[in-house]
Amino acid sequence: MSDDADRAHGALAGLALGDALGMPTQAMTADQITRTYGWVDALVPADASQPYAPGMPAGSVTDDTEQALLVAGLLVSGGGGIDPRAFSHALLDWEDSMAARGSLDLLGPSTKAALERVRAGEDPLHVGGAGTTNGSAMRVAPVGIASSTRDPRFTDTVWESCRVTHATEQGFHAAALVAAAVSLGIDGAGVGSPSDSARASLERALALVEGLGRRGAWTPQPDVCERTRYALRFARSRDRAPGTADDDRVFAAALRARVGASVEAAQSVPAAFAIAWRYAADPWRGLCVAANLGGDTDTIGAITGAVLGAALGARCWPAQELERVEGVSGLRLRETADGLLRLRAHGSRPPAHGEPVAAPQEGRVVLLGQVVVDLALLAPRVPAPGGDVFAEDAGMHAGGGFNVLAAARRMGAQAVSLSGVGDGGFASIITAALERIGAACEGPRIAGTDSGYCVAITDADGERTFVSTRGAEARLPRGSWSAHAARLRSGDVVHVDGKVDPASDIETIQTELVLADMQTLEKQIPRLEKEVRGKKTEPVVLETARAALAVLEKGELLSGPAGAGLDQEALASFQLMTTKPFIFVFNMDADGMEDEARKDELRALVAPAEAVFLDAQFEAELVELDEADAREMLAESGQDESGLDQLARVGFDTLGLQTFLTAGQKESRAWTIHKGDTAPKAAGVIHTDFEKGFIKAEIVSYEDLVSLGSIAEARAHGRVRMEGKDYVMQDGDVVEFRSGLASGGKK
């Protein structure tokens, strides 16, 4: 038997063995397991008190194995794909057959809820948006056998296996973790001992899935990847070789307390990965720990067995116990594994150790936007301005533009980040995340500052608020964005509909934004109706939501005239995309830049939004010149400013922003504020204490400072003035704030 065949058989064998070992203990507490069975270290029959499998004979498998084999059959019959409608009907037929046999071990909660809606006549593609349990993960191992992670179809096949019942971020990520670990195990990590190779497949699977980005509906449940990374850290912290049954009991108790063992994917999948990592050198012992853990023991055991069996092969399992399980349950695991391997043979070659998991395919995505670190918090409610709320840490990971790069890698494209990166802890997280997904980090390194971060606070209803910091991008040298643009190749610009048609591109994008906002409001309106009845929300908020939805249903943007008559404060609370201001940038060749009629046509197309026109080739040549030559080149082309400088200016104006400068000994830099901000408000941007202790602001215009050469000369010429609390800041003001704080707040 080949190594691949042995590992494929080992994955299904481990799944069935873990399932059968956990069958007698499923849904029981650890104390109940101890009282009923002692320590389970062999296949035993279920006690009569077992809630789901009373009296089942030793070696019997449950829904985990049976549904995994169902998925295997669908993959083989579908040539490597899974038709969602065929999948839903197959699951319904399976449950009907189980009920006819008098079984109590039927569909899990998420799967059952989704399929009841299918029985009622709903479309199988739209019923799985609440599934956060481990049903998708328990049956996905055949996908990992049938396809390599380098196969461009891999993630789509995982999605096909879970979207009917678990079309959520948790459901998808849980299934992807298990499928990837199985697939990478079969490929062989090729490092060190077999146990090292098994552990490497777990680590690489997590890195792969972290790079896939989001797919499926958002839910307030914890992030499966973040919990799995925590579980692996927990396992590594206890990486001494287990020596006694007492060691196993201590580990199981700690794992149960720290990670959990429920049917929720964010508990059971991380728990299985932790067990697999710790017991990679003794896989049968790991399955026994899963069986004694309490909670969803059969599923945790099945996942543990699948990922370890894929890496170690069928020979790692006790032959007598495997024969007993196959005999009692009538399984033909080797034949099934061989059928799945034949599908795999038609896919891509397996990855070599150290290679990116996703192979670069046709296409290249270049990111100019900022990559930040997202700090996610779950709170009972979104805090009001100035209010306090206790929140639960839901994870920290790369975000912002990183999500674009992750999506590009998921689709098989090359990904390049030109975002500036700092030199602190957040910057390290970003660079590590880019490395994990195989994205190139080619942006400038900015010393003396860290990369930015965004704190996202989310409540149980999905309401969110964001607080962002200025990071490394805020300190990019002048002209950096122009230099970035010069790095772009003509093939890096992708048109939405695959053709050069600005009107079509704009219509497509706006339609997507409108549909997204409609979905947001449709979800919020039922909650607002309840809150208005309970007098927790003002009626104007509900009225605005309904009116905004009516505008969107007509295909109109809320940033346009139709949205102007709505309550703007209430509208802002919904954080809708179509309320945001728009800027349209048109990349044109030299002839196009001189075609004023065409430019007027495009301006009319996007009005009342601003239109910016630039020639990327011209901009690329411009950044190679020194300042004097650049000005001369601009003059020769009939332009007063570069296209990218124009974009920055229009962007600031559209967003209602302006800058002021500090030029003291301690710090000389620009600060961003909103138009109309007063001097104390501007001081508060530097530090809140400066706003509280504000006395005066010593101000000179930028032009005067440059022409006179220094603050002292500006004072001597009477160009420096003292302004009080009512002064409205002007763009380009150079300021020294005077504060009355005891700590000395002169800046």
Side-chain angles (χ1 to χ4, degrees):
M1 182 186 298
S2 69
D3 287 343
D4 284 359
D6 183 52
R7 290 172 178 152
H9 182 208
L12 294 183
L15 185 152
L17 284 167
D19 184 13
L21 268 172
M23 175 274 295
T25 60
Q26 59 179 315
M28 299 173 70
T29 67
D31 289 341
Q32 289 172 328
I33 295 170
T34 300
R35 290 196 302 269
T36 306
Y37 304 103
W39 182 260
V40 177
D41 57 6
L43 297 171
V44 299
D47 188 77
S49 63
Q50 215 305 310
Y52 292 110
M56 284 187 71
S60 301
V61 297
T62 74
D63 58 333
D64 301 81
T65 303
E66 295 199 5
Q67 290 187 29
L69 295 177
L70 182 150
V71 169
L74 289 170
L75 283 168
V76 171
S77 63
I82 300 174
D83 179 76
R85 291 176 174 81
F87 183 42
S88 64
H89 293 305
L91 283 174
L92 288 171
D93 291 343
W94 173 84
E95 184 175 52
D96 289 342
S97 69
M98 293 292 287
R101 288 181 280 172
S103 174
L104 301 176
D105 198 4
L106 304 176
L107 296 173
S110 294
T111 302
K112 189 172 185 63
L115 293 183
E116 285 299 322
R117 293 173 64 183
V118 175
R119 287 189 189 274
E122 293 190 53
D123 188 339
L125 298 180
H126 301 105
V127 298
T132 62
T133 55
N134 55 27
S136 61
M138 78 179 192
R139 55 184 178 240
V140 79
V143 174
I145 300 172
S147 60
S148 167
T149 55
R150 287 188 78 95
D151 190 328
R153 301 168 299 176
F154 176 77
T155 54
D156 288 335
T157 308
V158 172
W159 177 242
E160 290 170 359
S161 76
C162 68
R163 68 174 301 181
V164 172
T165 60
H166 294 78
T168 61
E169 293 177 21
Q170 287 80 7
F172 171 64
H173 284 162
L177 280 169
V178 177
V182 169
S183 184
L184 291 166
I186 291 173
D187 288 335
V191 292
S193 65
S195 61
D196 290 337
S197 183
R199 289 171 172 173
S201 69
L202 298 171
E203 299 278 5
R204 294 178 67 198
L206 178 58
L208 181 152
V209 178
E210 287 177 326
L212 294 181
R214 297 180 175 180
R215 183 181 289 200
W218 180 90
T219 79
Q221 293 295 328
D223 185 281
V224 175
C225 291
E226 291 288 345
R227 295 294 297 168
T228 302
R229 184 158 294 284
Y230 170 81
L232 290 179
R233 288 200 302 268
F234 167 79
R236 286 194 293 269
S237 71
R238 299 168 175 266
D239 64 354
R240 70 184 190 284
T244 66
D246 285 341
D247 289 340
D248 297 339
R249 290 186 177 91
V250 170
F251 177 77
L255 181 65
R256 189 167 53 248
R258 301 284 293 277
V259 177
S262 77
V263 299
E264 284 295 327
Q267 292 191 21
S268 47
V269 173
F273 268 53
I275 295 171
W277 200 95
R278 177 173 168 83
Y279 293 92
D282 197 345
W284 177 256
R285 192 167 182 173
L287 298 190
C288 294
V289 169
N292 291 277
L293 189 62
D296 202 5
T297 53
D298 55 335
T299 297
I300 295 172
I303 294 172
T304 303
V307 299
L308 286 178
L312 303 173
R315 287 168 284 195
C316 78
W317 303 120
Q320 186 175 352
E321 303 283 28
L322 178 56
E323 184 178 350
R324 186 175 186 183
V325 169
E326 290 184 317
V328 170
S329 299
L331 307 178
R332 306 173 71 175
L333 300 179
R334 184 169 296 173
E335 291 181 18
T336 302
D338 289 344
L340 294 170
L341 274 183
R342 284 193 289 272
L343 293 173
R344 190 184 189 92
H346 297 294
S348 304
R349 67 176 179 85
H353 179 65
E355 291 183 344
V357 177
Q361 305 294 322
E362 292 295 324
R364 178 172 180 257
V365 174
V366 180
L367 175 73
L368 294 178
Q370 187 177 10
V371 178
V372 299
V373 171
D374 286 342
L375 307 175
L377 301 173
L378 297 177
R381 66 184 186 283
V382 174
D388 295 329
V389 65
F390 290 97
E392 176 185 350
D393 183 2
M396 179 170 62
H397 50 82
F402 176 82
N403 298 321
V404 175
L405 299 174
R409 294 292 291 145
R410 185 181 70 199
M411 294 184 291
Q414 296 178 348
V416 179
S417 172
L418 299 182
S419 174
V421 180
D423 60 4
F426 290 130
S428 298
I429 293 172
I430 289 169
T431 54
L434 292 170
E435 182 179 352
R436 279 200 308 272
I437 66 172
C441 183
E442 299 182 4
R445 287 280 181 172
I446 303 160
T449 187
D450 205 347
S451 292
Y453 63 89
C454 174
V455 179
I457 304 174
T458 305
D459 67 13
D461 295 317
E463 294 294 311
R464 300 185 182 189
T465 189
F466 301 92
V467 180
S468 299
T469 67
R470 297 183 183 88
E473 295 289 355
R475 298 197 177 189
L476 281 173
R478 180 178 176 84
S480 292
W481 285 111
S482 300
H484 282 7
R487 306 276 301 278
L488 294 174
R489 304 194 299 249
S490 60
D492 292 326
V493 181
V494 180
H495 294 274
V496 177
D497 294 321
K499 61 183 185 294
V500 182
D501 187 346
S504 177
D505 287 353
I506 292 168
E507 182 180 0
T508 300
I509 294 170
Q510 290 184 345
T511 299
E512 292 294 330
L513 294 175
V514 167
L515 291 173
D517 282 353
M518 287 176 62
Q519 186 179 34
T520 298
L521 289 172
E522 287 168 350
K523 289 181 179 179
Q524 292 195 23
I525 285 174
R527 175 181 59 82
L528 292 173
E529 289 173 342
K530 293 179 182 178
E531 291 182 356
V532 169
R533 288 195 296 270
K535 300 186 183 297
K536 296 180 179 179
T537 296
E538 294 296 323
V540 67
V541 179
L542 174 59
E543 294 166 3
T544 303
R546 288 170 173 167
L549 182 59
V551 171
L552 294 170
E553 287 174 342
K554 297 176 183 177
E556 300 181 45
L557 303 179
L558 293 169
S559 59
L566 304 180
D567 187 293
Q568 295 303 301
E569 183 178 351
L571 194 61
S573 69
F574 304 135
Q575 300 185 11
L576 302 174
M577 296 297 296
T578 58
T579 62
K580 311 298 183 184
F582 286 75
I583 301 173
F584 293 89
V585 182
F586 297 93
N587 181 29
M588 311 180 77
D589 58 19
D591 291 338
M593 292 293 290
E594 296 177 0
D595 189 345
E596 291 299 326
R598 178 57 172 163
K599 290 162 72 174
D600 288 342
E601 180 185 334
L602 294 172
R603 289 190 184 97
L605 177 66
V606 303
E610 292 282 350
V612 175
F613 304 95
L614 56 82
D615 178 353
Q617 182 62 42
F618 178 86
E619 300 291 331
E621 296 172 1
L622 194 65
V623 299
E624 300 294 331
L625 304 176
D626 59 32
E627 188 172 349
D629 288 341
R631 283 199 301 269
E632 183 178 348
M633 185 173 173
L634 280 170
E636 290 175 354
S637 68
Q639 300 182 54
D640 297 325
E641 61 181 340
S642 74
L644 290 172
D645 285 344
Q646 182 188 1
L647 176 59
R649 176 177 54 77
V650 171
F652 257 56
D653 187 65
T654 301
L655 295 172
L657 302 175
Q658 64 184 38
T659 59
F660 73 91
L661 299 97
T662 51
Q665 293 182 350
K666 293 183 179 180
E667 189 164 31
S668 297
R669 58 165 291 184
W671 305 85
T672 302
I673 58 175
H674 288 90
K675 292 180 179 180
D677 281 353
T678 60
K681 191 76 171 179
V685 172
I686 302 173
H687 198 288
T688 54
D689 286 348
F690 293 166
E691 182 176 3
K692 294 175 183 176
F694 178 88
I695 297 176
K696 294 286 184 181
E698 190 176 41
I699 296 176
V700 60
S701 74
Y702 178 78
E703 290 78 10
D704 287 342
L705 181 62
V706 171
S707 65
L708 295 170
S710 69
I711 293 288
E713 283 297 314
R715 287 196 183 102
H717 286 78
R719 301 297 178 87
V720 177
R721 62 190 188 278
M722 301 295 291
E723 300 286 356
K725 294 182 179 181
D726 296 330
Y727 176 73
V728 177
M729 300 291 292
Q730 302 300 306
D731 194 38
D733 280 346
V734 182
V735 189
E736 185 173 5
F737 293 109
R738 299 184 183 270
S739 171
L741 297 177
S743 58
K746 188 176 173 182
K747 188 77 172 178

